[in-house]
């Protein structure tokens, strides 16, 4: 009897294995999120023959961050405003498209562009979290909506979804964004077939005069002071999760505090659990199991939402089931994922806020430069992180983790007059100063700003090799059994390196900055490498100076490569030139006033120092007609593009001062 059962089972396992090795079924390829493909039709020996096989133009040119899913020859991917595309993975031909018609104003409720990091696919359904906060199940065959649920608990707050849904214990799990504006974080699991809510876990405690939603929140509340819940508290789970079927644990990466400055949200201190923490939950109930807080009492936007990888590695002579993360704060953590025990915490980039992590207490040892409340401090890493959401990869052969890291400093300055003006605007408690506007200082800042692809030995806690990159905010990483590591670059190319040594072996131009991670699949004996190209995201909006240095703008496409393919991209549109400028007649005091107001309200989207990031309008390029209606435009907003109304926030006089400042910056650009 047993023999009869075993044979078909064995055959089934073979089918499953071969299927899994040629598809890309989950966000991180496997549930362990290693982003390591066993495919080796493309290797370090033949990667030089890789060429463009096909390209597909997306509807909206904005930040493009998705990892496509490939199942049975069909690619499911997303672009800006959560538009879903089903493409023939061999040819790039559109099979169906689903546009959730996200109101464009939600772009202004998202800190970091109208991005989406992709779908989940399970049993003939495609799941997408939309920027306006819905979780939608689509038929994988037709793209028709099967069910749609509202994941947002309070629509008066700036909740959004940009992350990819994850599959855990057969359910669909999704969190949200919004901690820059002032929200309370949580994750929710839904039944895949019906969309019925299975459980919800809040990451920070709410108003303590009301019952806590779970027993662990009563404990967490003891680490908060003041009236944090009025600000939301933060702790959004906006990107990373990983699921371990062996232990049935779901790991969630929890984000920063609302507002950023702890003194404002929790005035008498405290660790503020579970901000900036990795939290392990029972996947079937959402019950708390353990947590590790990477940045107690976070005041720097040091989220622990960055990519988490599960692996089984030998650590100090013992086989350990680990979880690994390089959160924004600059330390690379290795934890035992069953118990939460800290195994390693070493700097992967320079850190000014902490010197080291004490392995006995598991806590960072903060340096005097950590406290910027009394006086401004230039902080490393910046709120953009030593590493942001761009996924890493773990290669079981080299036993290295490849980290798309970056180096840029940020002046942390508290806003002494902070109050929550509107829950739909940025409320970080930080005064945004922008960058220096003289060319010498700007050049000096840029010289110290860059990216680094790091091959990290998680056991030794050190880098084995580094690739220095001119610009920060490069793409996520893919590792393959062909001894290859692929990464896209901010300045507009996809690059392949050898996984063991970091030697560059191949590159292809993309006409736009790549921030998304590449992925790979095989059909009929051919291996394909795909990346979503399209500059944008956090640094794409605010970091105009950096984007201009890299010479990028947003042209959003799916790019797919295979050996000996010869397709070419259509010519890129010409860079715009400055229009005829208005004379600078306003006094210096007006321009200075405009500079201050611009950085308070406008720079997060239109770029620090009014240098656009190549994604949305660069205001220096306004023509005479646009300048004439500038005050009315800022007061009314432009619903079609996502520009909100500032009528109740900025006076007409101050808007005119912003225009004077922008005009000055346009003249600065002309002088270059
Ligand atoms: Ca944040």
């Amino acid at each position: 009897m047993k023999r009869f059962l075993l044979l078909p089972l064995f055959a089934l396992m073979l089918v499953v294995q071969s299927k899994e090795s040629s598809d890309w079924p989950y966000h991180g390829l496997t549930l362990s999120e290693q982003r390591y493909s066993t495919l080796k039709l493309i290797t370090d020996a033949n990667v030089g023959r890789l060429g463009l096989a096909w390209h597909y133009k997306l509807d909206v040119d904005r930040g493009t961050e998705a990892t496509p899913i490939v199942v049975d020859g069909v690619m499911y991917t997303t672009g800006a405003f959560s538009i879903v595309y089903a493409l023939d993975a061999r040819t790039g031909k559109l099979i169906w498209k689903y546009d959730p018609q996200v109101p464009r104003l939600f772009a202004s409720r998202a800190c970091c562009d109208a991005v989406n990091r992709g779908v989940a696919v399970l049993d003939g359904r495609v799941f997408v979290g939309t920027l306006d906060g819905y979780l939608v199940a689509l038929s994988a065959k037709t793209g028709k909506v099967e069910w749609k649920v509202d994941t947002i608990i309070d629509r008066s707050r700036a909740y959004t979804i940009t992350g990819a849904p994850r599959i855990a214990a057969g359910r669909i799990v999704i969190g949200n964004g919004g901690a820059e504006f002032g929200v309370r974080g949580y994750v929710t699991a839904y039944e895949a077939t019906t969309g019925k809510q299975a459980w919800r876990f809040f990451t920070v405690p709410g108003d303590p005069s009301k019952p806590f939603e779970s027993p662990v929140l009563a404990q967490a509340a003891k680490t908060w002071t003041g009236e944090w819940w009025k600000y939301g508290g933060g702790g959004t789970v906006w990107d990373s999760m990983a699921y371990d079927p062996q232990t049935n644990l779901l790991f969630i990466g929890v984000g920063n505090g609302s507002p950023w400055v702890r003194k404002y949200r929790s005035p008498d201190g405290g660790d503020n659990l579970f901000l900036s923490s990795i939290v392990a939950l029972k996947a079937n109930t959402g019950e708390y199991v353990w947590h590790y807080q990477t940045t107690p009492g976070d005041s720097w936007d040091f989220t622990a939402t960055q990519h988490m990888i599960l692996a089984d590695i030998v650590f100090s002579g013992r086989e350990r089931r680990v979880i690994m993360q390089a959160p924004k704060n600059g330390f690379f953590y290795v934890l035992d994922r069953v118990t939460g025990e800290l195994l390693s915490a070493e700097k992967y980039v320079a850190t000014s806020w902490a010197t080291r992590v004490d392995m006995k207490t598991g806590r960072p040892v903060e340096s005097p430069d950590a406290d910027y409340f009394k006086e401004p401090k230039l902080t490393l890493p910046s709120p953009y992180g030593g590493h942001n959401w761009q996924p890493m990869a773990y290669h079981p052969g080299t036993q290295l983790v490849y980290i798309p890291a970056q180096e840029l400093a940020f002046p942390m300055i508290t806003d002494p007059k902070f109050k929550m003006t509107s829950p739909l605007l940025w409320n970080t408690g930080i005064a945004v100063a922008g960058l220096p506007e003289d060319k010498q200082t700007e050049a000096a800042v840029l010289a110290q700003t860059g990216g680094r692809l790091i091959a990290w030995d998680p056991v030794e806690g050190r880098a084995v090799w580094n690739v220095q990159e001119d610009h920060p905010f490069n793409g996520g990483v893919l590792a393959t059994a062909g001894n290859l590591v692929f990464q896209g670059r901010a300045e507009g190319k996809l690059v392949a390196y050898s996984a063991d040594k970091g030697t560059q072996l191949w590159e292809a131009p993309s006409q736009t900055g790549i921030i998304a991670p590449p992925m790979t699949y095989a059909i009929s004996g051919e291996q394909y490498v795909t990346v979503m190209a399209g500059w944008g995201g956090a640094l794409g909006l605010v970091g105009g100076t950096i984007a201009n240095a890299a010479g990028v703008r947003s042209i959003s496409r799916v790019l797919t490569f295979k050996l000996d393919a010869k397709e070419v991209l259509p010519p890129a549109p010409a860079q715009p030139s400055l229009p005829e400028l208005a004379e600078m007649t306003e006094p210096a005091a007006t321009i200075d006033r405009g500079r201050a107001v611009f950085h308070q309200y406008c720079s997060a989207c239109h770029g620090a120092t009014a240098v656009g990031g190549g994604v949305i309008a660069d205001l220096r390029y306004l023509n005479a007609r646009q300048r004439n209606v500038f005050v009315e435009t800022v007061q009314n907003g432009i619903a079609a593009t996502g520009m909100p109304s500032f009528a109740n926030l900025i006076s007409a006089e101050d808007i005119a001062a912003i225009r004077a400042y922008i005009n000055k910056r346009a003249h600065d650009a002309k002088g270059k």
Side-chain angles (χ1 to χ4, degrees), residues 111-112 178-180 236 238 255-257 260 298 300-303 305 328 383 388 426 428:
C111 70
C112 307
E180 270 57 65
T236 49
W238 55 264
N256 59 277
W260 288 3
D298 166 49
W300 304 273
D301 189 20
F302 282 164
T303 63
T305 46
K328 278 187 183 178
N388 208 306
W426 282 60
T428 61

Side-chain angles (χ1 to χ4, degrees), residues 51-58 64 68 75 77 87 89 92 488 492-494 506 508-514 517-519 521 528-534 555-562 567-570:
L52 188 64
W54 57 262
H55 53 92
Y56 180 87
K57 180 76 180 63
L58 304 183
T64 305
M75 176 181 293
T77 192
L87 305 169
K493 57 185 179 184
L494 180 64
W506 169 86
S510 54
Q511 294 181 352
T512 181
I514 296 178
M519 50 80 68
Y521 55 95
Y528 298 78
V529 175
T530 292
V531 70
M532 303 295 293
I555 308 170
S556 297
R557 288 193 183 100
V558 189
L559 302 179
T560 294
F561 301 84
K562 68 174 185 176
E567 184 66 30
V568 286
L569 291 174

Side-chain angles (χ1 to χ4, degrees), residues 274-286:
F274 295 99
L275 295 183
S276 306
S277 300
I278 298 170
V279 181
L281 304 173
K282 286 184 188 166
N284 51 335
T285 60

Side-chain angles (χ1 to χ4, degrees), residues 309 313 315 323-327 330-335 343-351 387 392-405 452-467 477 485 499-502:
I309 291 176
I313 62 177
F315 210 98
I323 181 166
M324 300 183 281
Q325 188 188 48
F331 290 91
F332 188 94
Y333 296 88
V334 185
L335 305 167
L343 300 176
S344 173
E346 298 292 337
K347 283 183 193 184
Y348 65 91
V349 287
T351 64
H387 165 228
M392 313 184 292
Y394 172 69
H395 193 305
T398 61
Q399 300 190 356
L400 298 173
V401 178
Y402 304 92
I403 314 168
R452 192 141 57 96
L453 177 62
I454 304 172
W456 185 262
D457 181 334
V459 176
E460 298 289 329
R462 63 179 177 87
V464 171
W465 56 256
N466 292 283
V467 172
V477 183
V485 168
D500 54 354
K501 297 209 173 72

